[in-house]
Each structure stands twice: as C-alpha cells, then as structure tokens.
Amino acid sequence: MPHDLPKAYDPTAIEDHWANYWVQENLFAVPTPTSSTPPVQNQGRDGQSPDAKSAFTILLPPPNVTGRLHMGHMLNQTEMDILTRWRRMSGRLALWVPGTDHAGIATQMMVERQLAEEGTSRQKLGREVFIERVWAWKRHYGGAILEQMKRLGVSVDWSREYFTMDERLSVAVREAFVRLYHQGLIYRGAYIVNWCPRCQTAISDLEVVHQEQKGHLWEIRYPVLGDGGKPTGEFVTVATTRPETMLGDTAVAIHPEDERYLHLHGKKLLLPLMNREIPIVVDPWVSREFGTGAVKVTPAHDPNDFAIGERHHLPSINIMDDQARINENGGPYAGLDRYVARKRIVADLEAQGLLAAVKDYTNNIGHCDRCKTVVEPRLSTQWFIAVNKEPNGGGDSMAEKARAAVRPDANGNKAIKFTPENYEKIYLNWMEDIHDWCISRQLWWGHRIPAWHCADCHKITVPQPGAKDDPKTCAHCGSNQITQETDVLDTWFSSGLLPVSVFGWPNFTSKTPGAPGLAHLETGEGIRESNNLGAPGPSHSGTGEGSKDRADAALSRPDFDAFYPTSLLVTGFDILFFWVARMIMMGCWFSKDIPMPDGSVRKLENSVPFKEVYIHALVLDANREKMSKVKGNVIDPIQVVKQYGTDATRFTLASMAAPGTNIAFNVARTEGYRAFANKIWNAARFIFMNIDRAAEAGIKVDPAVLGQMPTVSADAPLEARWIVAELHATAAKVNESLNNYRFDEAASTIYQFFWGSFCDWYLEIVKLRLDFEGKQVVNGTKVEILRDLEGTRAALVTLVSVFEAALRLLSPFMPFITEELWNAIYDSNPPASSIALTKFPQADTSCIDTESLIDMGFLQNLITAIRANRKDLNVEEKAIVDAEINALGGFRKVIDKNLAIIQRLARVNSVRHVDRFSDGLLKYSNPNFDVAVVYEKTIDISAERERLTKDIAKYEKGLASAERQLSNESFLQKAPPQVVEGLKKQEAETRLLLEKARAALNALPRE
Ligand SMILES: [Zn+2]
Ligand SMILES: [Zn+2]
C-alpha cells in the first residue's frame, strides 16, 4: 500500500493538477433537472442523493469581462466557495453559477484605446464594425478573470457560464424592457444627468466620485435694466464656481423675502457677454444667507437650477457639446473647451469691470469613476424607469415591492435576510428615497434599447411582450420610416435581471415536444396581446386566471423551478445599491407572475431573487489602509498564491473573515498558514508510513471504516476516546460557525484541532500504540516477544479515520491539499471522484465523551507543567527524571492509568504520589495538582522568588477583574448563564492558585 507523497509540500504542483482535474471532470456541474430525474451531483459511497428541493443556489457577482482578480474578488470567492463546498458536502444540491458582465463603459473604453493607438476611432469605424471589434476583443482578451478563478479551484458549474451579452440573456433584457414599457413604467424625459465628456455618456450618481478640490468662487455683476431696457447703473452680484455656465443663464433667482432685493421684483437683468435679457425670479429655495443671496439660474447645467427652471417655466439653454466644448449657443465662445472658455470669460468680465471678486473656495467636485474626468451636469434626453409609479392596471410600484421584500411582515418574517443585519436599514433607507432610475447610456457596446422612433409622427414604437421580431412600421401612423434608438441600456439593467434570466426566464419551453416556444404566455397576459401585435397595449399587468392555467400547462421551466429563488448572495457593500437593490426590484417584479412548480401562486417570499444576502467587508493592507494604486500598497492575490499557495491564501482570508469586520491582509499570516499546510502534510507522511509498516505486520485498515464520523469503544485508550470526542466537538462548532458566517471562528477551530489536538498531542501519544515490533520479555529462561496487534490495529483505525474526517472538515477551506491527501489515503482508488463530493463531518453529541475531555485536559496541564518545570531547572532535553505529584483524588487514577503517556511526553520515569513534597523541590501548581520534578540542582532562590512574585501579581489581577465582573449587576443579568458559571469557576481556581503561590513564597528559605 504505497502512499507516495513527495517529502516536501509544494502547493504549486498539487494545485495546478487538481484545478485542472475539477474543471475537466466537470465536477461541480448540476445539469438541468428533468421531471423524472431530480438532478444529482457525484455522490459519496453512501449513495444518498441530495434532492432538488434542497438546492443551495448562489450566483457569482459577475466580474467585468475586462477585469483582473483582486483581493476583493479573492475574499468574495473564498467565502462563496467555502459556503458552497460546505453546503454541497452537507447534502444540499449545490449550484454556483459563474459568468461575466459585458461592462459597457469599461469595455468600450478598452477597445477605444486600442483604436486610438491604431490611429482610428469608433466614429470612423461606425457602429456595426465597432461592435464587431469589441466582440473580437472579448473573444481574445475577455474573461481572463474566469481563467484565474479556474486556477483558484472555485467549485462553480462551468457548464452554466454566461456572458451578459449572450443571446439568451439579451432576450431577457429586451423582454424586461418591453414589459416595463407597456406597463407604463418606462418613459423618456429631459433630465440633468452626470455627463462624462471623456466617456461621452450619462453616468449614474453612483458612478460619480466626489473629491474636494481647491478652486475659486467668482463673483460676477449683472447690470439691472430699467424701463426701456436701459441699464440703471445698479448691479446684482452672483457667485459661481463654474463661470462658463453663465452663457446658459436664463434667470437670476432671489428669495421672496430678501429685503435687499425687494425693489427688484419683476425687473430684468442684462446677461453680460451674451447681452441677453434675463428675468429676476423669486423662489423660496434660494438661501438668503449664502453669498449675496442672488443665484444665477442655468437650468441646462445644474440639477437645482433645472428644478427652478421647471417651477418658473424658464427656457433651458444647453451650451456644451458631448465633449464639454462650448457649442453654438455660447456665442463668441463656441468651439472652446470648457476650461479654456472659463479663462476667456473671466478675463473678458474683468476687462468690462463686471468681475466683483475672486475668492478661494474648496469645492466638492464629481469625477467619473471610470476615467476620473470631471463630470458635467448637463441636460439631456434619457430613458427612465419610474420605480415609484403604480403600473398600468394598478398594484404596488417596483420600489414598494423591493421594500416589502426586506421589511419584516406582520409576523416579523423577512423574505430577504441581510447579514450583517444593519444593511437592512441602509437598504431600506435608500429604497425609501429612491429616484427614477436612468437606464440609458450613450454607448455603442451594450443592449441597444428596443424602441423605434418614427420620422413622420415622432412617436415611439416598442414591440409587444413576447414579440420576437423588430417592428417594421410605426405602431401609431404605420409609417415605415422608423429607426431604432441609438442608446444602450445601463449595464446594471442586465445584471439586475440575472437571477431570473440565468434560469431561463423568459425563454421557458413548451412541455409538448415539437410545439413552438410559448414564452410570452407565461405571465398569462400574452395571449390577449398576441392577437393585437403592433398596437400600443394600455395595460399589461392584469392576470387572467384562465390564461394563467393554460400558460401553466404549456410551459416547462425546470431550472427556474429548481433553482429560483437562489439561496444566498455574497457581495461587497460597494454594489449594494448598484446591483443588490436592482436585482431585488427586477427579481420580485418579473418572477411574481410565474407560478410555483406545484402550480400555486408565487408569494413574495418566493419571488425574491435570493433569500439571504451576506455583505462582506473590505480587504485592507497590513497597516489597515485601503489598498490603492496611487499609494502603491495593492496586494495582488495571484502573487500571494504563487508564493504561498492558494490554500494558505484562502485560509488567511477565512481566518479573518467575520461579518462587518475589515480584513488587514498580512502575508506573514499566509506564511503561517503555509506552515500549517506543511504540518498536515507531514502528519500524512507519518500516518502513511505507519499504514505501510502495519501492512508488513499483517494489519490492514479496511477503507470501509473511513468516510464517516469515527466512533470509539468505551474501553479504548484515553487518547482515542479524547481525539474522537474532540473531532465531534470541532465539527459541531465549525458547522455552527459557518451557519453564522463566522468564517474566522470556523477556521480557527479547525486550526486548533489539527495543529494543537491532532498533531501536537494525539500523534505524539499514538506512537505509543503503534508497536509493530513488540517487546522482548524474559520469562524465566525464555525470551518472548509480546505484541498487542489488536491494540495496534484499533489505534491505527482511529488514527486514520480521524485524519480522514479532519481532512473533510478542512476541505472547504483548503480544497487542494485535502484533495491530494484524501486521494493518497485511498491510494488513488477513492470512493468518490473528489473529497468535495463526500460528506461534511456532522457531530454526534453522544460521541462527545466529556470524561475523556476532562481527563485529557488534566494530563495536558500536567505534562505542560512538568515541561515548564524541567525548563526552569535547566534539565537536559534528553534526561529522564522522576516527579512527585499531589493531585486531587480522582485524578490520581488518571495518572496511574496513563502513566506511559506522561512518561513519554514529559520524559519522566516514576511519578510518585505524595502528600508532602521532598525538601528543596520546585513546585508547580494547578487547581487540580501540584507537581515537582526531582532533580539534583540547587534552586536559585531569588529567581524562584521573582517567579512566584510575578505569578502572585498575575493572579491578583485576574482575581480582581473576575470579582469586578461578578459584582456587576447588569453584567450578571445580561451574560449567558454558562459565561457566569465559567467566570465563577475561574475565580475559584485563581483564588486557589494565589493561595498556593503565597504559601510557596513564604516557604522559600531566606537568602
Ligand atoms: Zn468617464
Ligand atoms: Zn409614426
């Protein structure tokens, strides 16, 4: 039974191998269920198949197709992989769906940069050729991040990989748009948007980064006009940080009660440089305290001014083009860049004596998150979703449904649960205050809006729900002069649909083979509408019961039925509003009319896109600073992986991951966890060596005893009963920690078990039992060899089965090394294709033998005390000494029964029970025993006095703190009883130790 493991642990070699194997074997694929066979994953030897009802479904937040893996991804994916592997091993049908986002702005920018290097541009190529170029780019460079994920071994179903521009997902995007449009929830309107002159598109508020910048506040004097339009010689002074916008001013506003300007009500001003007459309007929004109390109004270039313009019916004059150059409305400044124009305008005003002052001013300036260009608020025509509006035919708005999904119902139940819980409030506050969602982007790369403009009647034609073909004629006047909208949809529109679209919506197929797809029937409304295709439908949200039944019978949606709602979303706070909120809006909206698998009406709890959201924290550098390219403190996870291995990197992140806690990533820890992996590797080599020696001695471990939770007979040696009890206790804790997203607790529990209990203690003790040669015993004149083969066999079985179970426990955290060692245990003839498809250890509380835990704890304390005692006396490492001990009654038996363990681990010979210690011995005290090593050496009295004095101070401090807590009434009321019990016990023990230390100090001879 050779279990050849290389001597040294080399993560790179084993990780590459298994990463390829998992992908090639399609190990984590979950096929679309058919009605007769529920989907199953490869199963362990027990042959139990997880049933589809208990699916654990999770979507990867799709990285940008242009993206490269960073530490945030690595944390996100480590957490998802741990949870998915754990659920899969715990018997759930675990499906993790990967994919990438087409990332409109980012991808278009990438290709535009390429074109610029080639001396061309997208405008020169034209839309169609440009889009072809982007696809070519995507095929060549796109999705590198998924290749990185493959190397990291994430247990996703690669057969379900999607791209948000895929045909089937694009169908869903189009269907969602047309349904919302015909429900009266999509409109087109003039609006001040954040315009990026570099990206040449509107960007959402969320994509604008505000930065404080030193700038100026320019005060400009506008001449007041008297009767007949003649300047009166009086001026109104306005202040602005963007003087160039004055070219588009259409009024100056003052507060109605501002006494300084009462005489100017109804008067006009002359707009300098443009020589245009503009009115003074009174508006209570104006603050009298700020500046001069007079505000220039530029409705086309400022959101507040836009609102004033609406109230006072002012014209909006757009003075800039798409690249923020002054356009033909800017008079003499037309054609100038905005900042060049600014300089020119300020100089001209000064020359005309109209510049009252220039003041330093710190301004909060919005920059494009993508390209860092200063955004320009600008009036433009955009498409919006009216998220607060009742749909045609009545019912709750999208925002209201999305609020209801998170708000507790009358019974306190929530359809979606957030961890950490405070994000519920953050989400709900945002949702309460949500504005209409601007969904159009002036890009070429993306889902082009399915709306057609008529050149004749100027009305808009949007296809009917379910219609596959583009309209050929105007739905209003019948003209064939229609052209498709050039804007594309916001990327979050398509990613917001993912939970429904990846599972087949709206392309549900007919249940009758060969019958045409009836996707549009699925809401039950399509039947009516399919008869009047092309006509603008007034209401599309009614539910005809009859048609619903027919739709039910006609459609099959196996993936949707099996996997929607998904179980969990793991994501960062930064996309809570961008993505999480939109998935909730879209998911609730489009799934609500899809019947449940049993035909019943879908309730809110089943129309949500996910049942739980786990928001993870940030990964910071070792000094708790945010990583940034500017600061140069970015840690590249791939580099860390190359140096220490994926397992150690994952374990580092897991060991610090707890809800709401940022992670200060320090490679020193990763180095430590690589040493942990090495420790396990060496333990495996030791075990395999003994399996082989056992085989030579005729002892075989039947592989059938592996793969479950080990048990042990009541008369087994203490260390066997103890390690099995520890394993069960560890499994219980790890399962509980993972249930609460306490990755840190789970990781540290496994670490303590593996390194502390298993390697440091159990392996050392079990060497006593692995006796293949036997002992020579002289019996009279005969020499006999005594061998306890049965005892050796039992010890070996416990050793191997505990190790095998511990590997399964560790597997979700360190999938590679555990896969390698697990396969080696079975000598490459394992009972399943992967350790990932075996059972996760579940505790049996009846196997947590408390007596063995107490007894072993006693022995550990005793051995540790003797070792410390030896060290203080400078006993040579190899020397074997005697010891005297005074232990509490019950523990004397434990000592006698386990003398061999104490002898071996503490390197002692005899252990004498005494009531009074021999003179001159250095005593070590514990609440349960006093012990002293018998060693011929004069005690250094002053050193001993120092040690005892230090101990006394430590005990006094501990005692005072315990007493303080135990006298704190409010602590006693709030703390769980077991905590209070523990504290009381600790107090009593410390008091005892203090007494013993004081007595020892008194007993020291005077110097
Ligand atoms: Zn930009
Ligand atoms: Zn028309």
Side-chain angles (χ1 to χ4, degrees), residues 78-142:
T78 297
E79 290 177 341
M80 276 190 282
D81 199 39
I82 288 171
L83 293 172
T84 308
R85 283 174 182 269
W86 169 58
R87 294 291 191 194
R88 183 184 292 115
M89 290 177 76
S90 305
R92 304 276 292 270
L93 179 75
L95 170 61
W96 181 5
V97 185
T100 46
D101 192 282
H102 66 279
I105 297 183
T107 313
Q108 179 159 327
M109 261 178 68
M110 201 79 97
V111 178
E112 280 189 273
R113 223 175 278 151
Q114 257 187 6
L115 293 178
E117 279 166 22
E118 295 165 20
T120 181
S121 70
R122 73 179 159 101
Q123 287 82 1
K124 282 184 199 158
L125 294 184
R127 189 165 186 144
E128 260 174 53
V129 178
F130 176 75
I131 287 171
E132 216 11 82
R133 262 303 285 262
V134 183
W135 277 109
W137 181 93
K138 191 254 168 190
R139 279 189 293 270
H140 201 77
Y141 302 103

Side-chain angles (χ1 to χ4, degrees), residues 750-813:
I750 295 175
Y751 182 90
Q752 297 301 340
F753 174 79
F754 235 125
W755 190 310
S757 304
F758 188 80
C759 291
D760 283 354
W761 290 98
Y762 176 70
L763 279 189
E764 290 308 313
I765 299 171
V766 84
K767 284 174 185 168
L768 283 170
R769 320 290 177 205
L770 300 175
D771 174 23
F772 303 106
E773 271 116 52
K775 273 189 208 100
Q776 283 197 354
V777 181
V778 182
N779 192 359
T781 54
K782 278 192 285 179
V783 177
E784 280 181 53
I785 295 186
L786 285 182
R787 289 202 293 187
D788 177 10
L789 282 186
E790 198 33 56
T792 304
R793 202 194 73 82
L796 194 67
V797 166
T798 302
L799 170 64
V800 180
S801 58
V802 168
F803 184 65
E804 191 270 349
L807 288 178
R808 284 183 279 128
L809 200 60
L810 179 64
S811 174
F813 299 81

